[in-house]
Amino acid sequence: MPRGKNALFVEPDCEHNGQEKKGCVRPGPGEVSRGCPVAGSLAALLPIRDAAHLVHGTSACLESGWLEPADRGHHGGLAGYGFSTYLNDRDMALGGEGKLLKAIGYIAENYKPPAIFVYATCITVLSMEDLDAVCSEAETAWNIPVIPVHSPGFSGSSGNMGRRLAGEALMDRVIGQGVEEPGHPGTYDINLIGEYEGGEEGADMEALLAKTGIRVLSQITGENSYSRVSRAHLAKVNMVVCSRAMITLARRMKDRYDIPYFEGSFYGEREIRFTIRQLAFHFGDAELEKKLYRYIRKEEERLRSELANVRRELKGKSVVLYTDGTESWRYLTLLQELGLKIAAVGTNRNTQEDMSRIRERLEGGTVILNECGDGKILQTFRERRGDLMLVSGRNEYVPLKERIPFLNLARDRHRSYAGYAGVRRLAGDILDTLEQPVWKLSGKSAPWER
Amino acid sequence: MSLTGEMNVKPLSVNPFRVSQAIGGVLALQGFFRSLPILYGAHGCVDAVGQLISQHFREPVALQNVAIHDSNLIFGGTQSSQEALELALKQFKPDLIALIGTSLTEMVGEDLESDVRQFLSSGGGDAETLVLSLQLPDYEGSLETGYARMTEAVVEAVIRRSGGAARKKRRNRVNLLPGPHLTPGDVMELKEIISSFGLEVLALPDLSSSLCGHLLVGSTGLSRGGMPLDYLDKMLTSSCTIAVGGSMERAGRKIEAAAGIPCHVFPGLTGLAACDEFFDFLRRLSRTEVQVKHRWQRQILLDSMLDAQSVFRGKEIIAALEPDHLLSLSEWLEEVGIRSFRAISPCTSPVLANFRGECRIGDLEDMEEMASSGADLWIGSSYGEQGAQRRGTAFLPMGFPVLGRLGTPLVVSVGYGGTTDLLGRIGNALLQAERRTGE
């Protein structure tokens, strides 16, 4: 490890690795809030649905990460359970290690999961608890893997850092432990690594790949089970989907297991085509390649004929994005393929990497606003005569309160925009949104105000 | 009532549903116009608080942060908090700022009060803006206590600013302190009921004009409505204070002590008996008769109760809610004649001594146990929906947070009309469950 540098910020496979390490920028007070690393780790690992996830902290630490991923899930096994040591002031003063050990035992005995993940929080780091020691003690006592995840709230200024630290925990303790399922040898096995919108998107990607004969061995951060993740090292290729938060995991798997990885996405025809070509290249199998290309051609033709009307309707409509994270660039190619004009992209908490991805995907004529702010995006929308604002998360209320047509790409969606089916869904959703009567109605004043 | 099964029997909490105090504090501030809560914790904490409130109410939330970074833990965070206060004032010009501490600031020993004092003495802020601080660590209490303590803090600050001079009382002015178990719709209904007696109401905090959903102020970083601060001073000239929910009593007593205004506490305003008492109280206070509308609503409620008695007969209901909400519900459920009402509360409260039924402190694992021992309906926040599904128990969302549903903040369950509505909602849930099991 280079002297004076934090090993976490050294990632040889990142293009900005050569720059001076700033680490996560110290967040200024009052600024837009960013995610919590514990929440990020939970978002990454809760999809391992048969394992138990125990947050070692006060009550709010679980609150920040539990409900949303749990809400998406199917209601079987341990999926959707939240465990917390619920530290009180006494534990904070006297230490919570004993309580943690008992809590692990309680889960092991009552719920019998295949593994328990234990999450450190700000409080337990401050009280200098030895999480690793407690976990290994518990491991011997109850004879199941107990995996510490070190991503306390102040370890980084975003959920991304949490995802990354979750990746470290998986690499160190889970991946490589499993063995091949008997009777299921796969020729074309890959892992999907990265951030996407949980079950629906992951299922869509798996279905798309299944049609071409490629099997997804494990989705890391997608719908998953402990044994599937522990087998991930048996894949032939890794695909990093959308977020680079877990690129370190992919790189470490390349170093340790010799599994090549590439970055790709399933949003929009061009991106899918690129992804499939990459897969064909990595497998280097002429038969598979022919099959893959045939598949793309067929799907693209189908899309062309099905979307002709929608494209005509959408052509030249101008959209403004006010998004954070991967939503900022994930759909850009797709939107442009639909004939939409991207007038501006505003963002408040995107990484340098996200910004360069935004730039890569734009055709020109787009205003890019970093550290944008609500006022600025509204002004830009009006100046550039936008027809629709695409938002993510809580940004939704900015256009809503100004009665501007908007579509939230991230929240409440439960619909996947991945794959060819996703292109159709997003195109349909945009068209339906534009045609909502409420945009006209909400602009009219009451009879007594006229 | 029996208070058994204290939390510390289990070394952990399985599916906890306690909502942290900070959320209560932030929520209370949304009920004061042009206010801005500043949460002092790790940055992730702020994100979670904002998201949860936003998703429940489907409204934007005024909220800023002082992000604690590891350097703050060593060198102290006074400079960060000063910067945050300065920035908030410059950027938004709020009328009210509250610096809210978390478990983390408690643990490293930040002195919020001195931070605010230092900020004010160094010439930061103007005389118009009320700046206060409050520690709301998440290891104790719940949404209810956070909400009540924030209301108290604002009341105290207003009393302090008023200078304690005795003022002439207005006979037809009353203060209303609605607890957090009341929705914005409930608060609106109470304001209407009280006004119908010719009384002027000062609701504090007033979520009914803030988180009810409206487009009046466009996009803003401050709270979107609620009690304006310049109007708040008038609370010291009211003839009485009505606190709804035991948690709000302390704020009422503060006003009583400062200005000699009597405080009346109503545990809840749901149910025939509770409403009768409330309307009679208002009648005597205002020396005005109950309006025809409400007399009709009482008739309708009685008739609905007759319609519903066979639906509620012999039913077993369980609930996981905050103490005040549980007490109000238990009094009403006793009135409609169910067989048993059992409940789990996330924290202790003196009001639970009056609970009619069996109540324990616990988590949703305990609740699932209750459900498996036989229950016709599970009432509680969205945290419990999965558990209810696992146990095959009918579920009715209530409390905080309720996610993935429309209109939650506008649901009314107070007054004669609101009670009739609630009777319908719970009755229908029971009927639907009956049909399902009958299939």
Side-chain angles (χ1 to χ4, degrees), chain A residues 272-421:
Chain A
I272 300 173
R273 205 183 309 143
F274 173 79
T275 299
I276 301 266
R277 284 201 176 134
Q278 286 277 321
L279 282 169
F281 165 78
H282 280 289
F283 281 113
D285 180 323
E287 196 56 37
L288 179 72
E289 189 169 319
K290 244 187 9 226
K291 205 167 153 193
L292 288 175
Y293 287 175
R294 213 166 38 232
Y295 174 73
I296 309 180
R297 219 174 22 250
K298 201 181 84 209
E299 287 289 340
E300 287 186 0
E301 267 165 29
R302 196 172 138 210
L303 212 54
R304 204 159 23 245
S305 65
E306 280 184 18
L307 283 184
N309 288 332
V310 182
R311 284 210 169 96
R312 211 164 27 246
E313 296 275 337
L314 292 180
K315 194 165 170 49
K317 289 269 191 303
S318 148
V319 298
V320 169
L321 271 78
Y322 190 33
T323 43
D324 292 314
T326 56
E327 271 93 21
S328 290
W329 52 265
R330 190 191 281 177
Y331 303 108
L332 291 180
T333 315
L334 171 49
L335 294 170
Q336 291 173 110
E337 280 168 7
L338 290 173
L340 292 161
K341 211 168 83 215
I342 297 172
V345 178
T347 162
N348 283 315
R349 44 200 237 195
N350 267 354
T351 58
Q352 191 182 352
E353 217 98 62
D354 286 329
M355 294 312 289
S356 62
R357 275 147 186 257
I358 294 174
R359 282 191 203 96
E360 262 166 41
R361 282 171 173 75
L362 290 171
E363 282 161 359
T366 306
V367 185
I368 299 175
L369 304 159
N370 199 0
E371 305 298 323
C372 174
D374 299 351
K376 190 80 194 252
I377 198 76
L378 288 170
Q379 189 196 343
T380 313
F381 185 87
R382 291 191 174 111
E383 277 170 13
R384 316 256 324 177
R385 295 171 191 282
D387 294 300
L388 178 73
M389 202 184 278
L390 296 170
V391 294
S392 69
R394 278 200 288 150
N395 288 347
E396 167 174 289
Y397 296 106
V398 176
L400 187 150
K401 290 298 178 191
E402 295 289 325
R403 312 167 201 209
I404 288 171
F406 71 91
L407 174 66
N408 194 339
L409 292 169
R411 168 133 35 114
D412 271 354
R413 182 145 59 76
H414 293 270
R415 256 161 91 78
S416 144
Y417 293 145
Y420 293 104

Side-chain angles (χ1 to χ4, degrees), chain B residues 19-29 136 142-144 146-148 150:
Chain B
V19 176
S20 61
Q21 282 200 93
I23 292 186
V26 170
L27 186 60
L29 277 183
L136 294 175
S142 67
L143 182 139
E144 192 177 280
Y147 186 91
M150 182 54 81

Side-chain angles (χ1 to χ4, degrees), chain A residues 221-262:
Chain A
T221 79
E223 204 83 2
N224 231 331
S225 68
Y226 183 74
S227 65
R228 267 183 88 180
V229 181
S230 69
R231 277 201 297 275
H233 63 291
L234 299 172
K236 308 288 190 306
V237 182
N238 275 334
M239 174 176 169
V240 175
V241 190
C242 288
S243 168
R244 297 194 106 199
M246 282 193 163
I247 199 156
T248 308
L249 178 68
R251 198 255 309 153
R252 288 185 66 190
M253 283 178 81
K254 185 183 75 183
D255 292 350
R256 191 184 292 174
Y257 302 109
D258 222 12
I259 304 171
Y261 78 87
F262 70 97

Side-chain angles (χ1 to χ4, degrees), chain B residues 68-298:
Chain B
I68 290 188
H69 208 243
D70 32 13
S71 61
N72 295 135
L73 302 173
I74 302 161
F75 302 114
T78 305
Q79 198 199 333
S80 296
S81 62
Q82 302 298 315
E83 281 171 25
L85 288 168
E86 245 165 68
L87 194 79
L89 264 181
K90 205 173 78 200
Q91 215 174 341
F92 300 103
K93 301 185 180 59
D95 291 348
L96 171 61
I97 298 183
L99 197 58
I100 302 174
T102 57
S103 296
L104 205 52
T105 47
E106 192 104 301
M107 186 140 185
V108 298
E110 291 290 350
D111 187 349
L112 269 57
E113 229 170 278
S114 103
D115 281 354
V116 166
R117 237 188 349 259
Q118 190 181 332
F119 175 71
L120 293 176
S121 64
S122 67
D126 43 60
E128 300 298 300
T129 309
L130 204 56
V131 188
L132 50 96
S133 68
L134 189 62
Q135 280 284 11
L136 294 175
D138 59 353
Y139 54 73
E140 59 175 23
S142 67
L143 182 139
E144 192 177 280
T145 50
Y147 186 91
R149 289 181 55 200
M150 182 54 81
T151 309
E152 261 172 76
V154 175
V155 163
E156 259 172 34
V158 170
I159 291 172
R160 218 171 24 243
R161 194 164 70 165
S162 73
R167 284 200 255 170
K168 202 170 167 303
K169 299 283 181 292
R170 291 278 295 272
R171 204 180 59 81
N172 65 344
R173 183 178 285 158
V174 296
N175 300 327
L176 174 67
L177 301 176
H181 61 296
L182 301 180
T183 65
D186 284 332
V187 178
M188 186 69 87
E189 177 75 11
L190 289 183
K191 279 161 71 181
E192 272 177 33
I193 290 174
I194 298 171
S195 320
S196 77
F197 287 89
L199 298 167
E200 182 191 1
V201 202
L202 271 68
L204 56 136
D206 187 359
L207 295 183
S208 74
S209 56
S210 168
L211 289 177
C212 55
H214 62 78
L215 299 167
L216 293 172
V217 288
S219 178
T220 164
L222 298 176
S223 62
R224 313 178 50 76
M227 170 60 68
L229 216 61
D230 44 3
Y231 195 48
L232 199 57
D233 278 348
K234 296 203 169 70
M235 75 178 189
L236 298 172
T237 64
S238 294
S239 64
C240 84
T241 300
I242 298 168
V244 187
S247 60
M248 301 306 280
E249 179 169 354
R250 283 170 58 126
R253 297 289 171 217
K254 289 235 156 84
I255 303 176
E256 186 169 34
I261 299 166
C263 171
H264 301 267
V265 184
F266 293 87
L269 295 175
T270 303
L272 190 72
C275 288
D276 278 351
E277 194 191 332
F278 183 57
F279 275 86
D280 194 41
F281 170 81
L282 292 173
R283 228 179 97 233
R284 280 182 284 118
L285 180 76
S286 64
R287 294 175 211 156
T288 309
E289 264 319 313
V290 177
Q291 282 193 354
V292 178
K293 177 185 167 187
H294 295 120
R295 294 172 185 217
W296 263 108
Q297 282 187 351
R298 190 174 187 281

